[in-house]
Amino acid sequence: LSEEAYQRLQGQPCPLCRKENITAVKDLFHKRNVLSLKVRCPHKEDGCEWEGELGSLEEHTNRSEGGKCRYVEVNCPYSCGERVQRRNLEEHKSQHCPLRPSTC
């Protein structure tokens, strides 16, 4: 069973025969197969050349500091409301952000 189906069936009768107290089993074999499928970054059109396993895509496109995709839009850390591609963030922070720190 998929994770969603497994969670949904916990404590429920069998949806086919209505037998009570069934033992649902997670289908880890298919989960591993799906997560190992080769995919491209959803930001390929923007220029990202990353290709990898589906199971690594979330880590690659994560918007937090741990994310690796330079083409993901991230929020400005100075809270100006702008979202910029990670590859342009340093330039935004140092030159364009209206809330960037400045020295008098």
Side-chain angles (χ1 to χ4, degrees):
L1 296 174
S2 68
E3 181 68 29
E4 180 182 330
Y6 178 79
Q7 293 297 327
R8 198 173 51 241
L9 285 175
Q10 293 301 304
Q12 300 295 317
C14 174
L16 300 175
C17 68
R18 307 309 295 166
K19 181 180 175 184
E20 297 286 335
N21 299 322
I22 62 169
T23 302
V25 178
K26 292 181 185 179
D27 187 349
L28 298 178
F29 173 77
H30 286 97
K31 180 179 180 178
R32 280 192 299 271
N33 282 345
V34 169
L35 292 178
S36 68
L37 291 172
K38 300 295 182 205
V39 295
R40 292 188 176 120
C41 179
H43 302 284
K44 180 176 176 44
E45 299 293 319
D46 295 327
C48 185
E49 297 179 0
W50 181 87
E51 292 183 13
E53 293 185 351
L54 179 61
S56 301
L57 181 61
E58 186 174 340
E59 177 184 348
H60 172 73
T61 58
N62 191 321
R63 285 188 163 77
S64 71
E65 285 188 35
K68 308 232 182 335
C69 182
R70 297 174 20 86
Y71 296 88
V72 167
E73 287 190 348
V74 295
N75 293 323
C76 172
Y78 300 140
S79 302
C80 72
E82 288 289 321
R83 290 175 57 96
V84 296
Q85 289 182 337
R86 183 176 281 125
R87 66 190 181 107
N88 298 325
L89 183 59
E90 290 305 316
E91 178 183 334
H92 170 77
K93 288 180 358 183
S94 65
Q95 298 176 23
H96 304 292
C97 180
L99 300 179
R100 69 183 177 270
S102 61
T103 55
C104 296

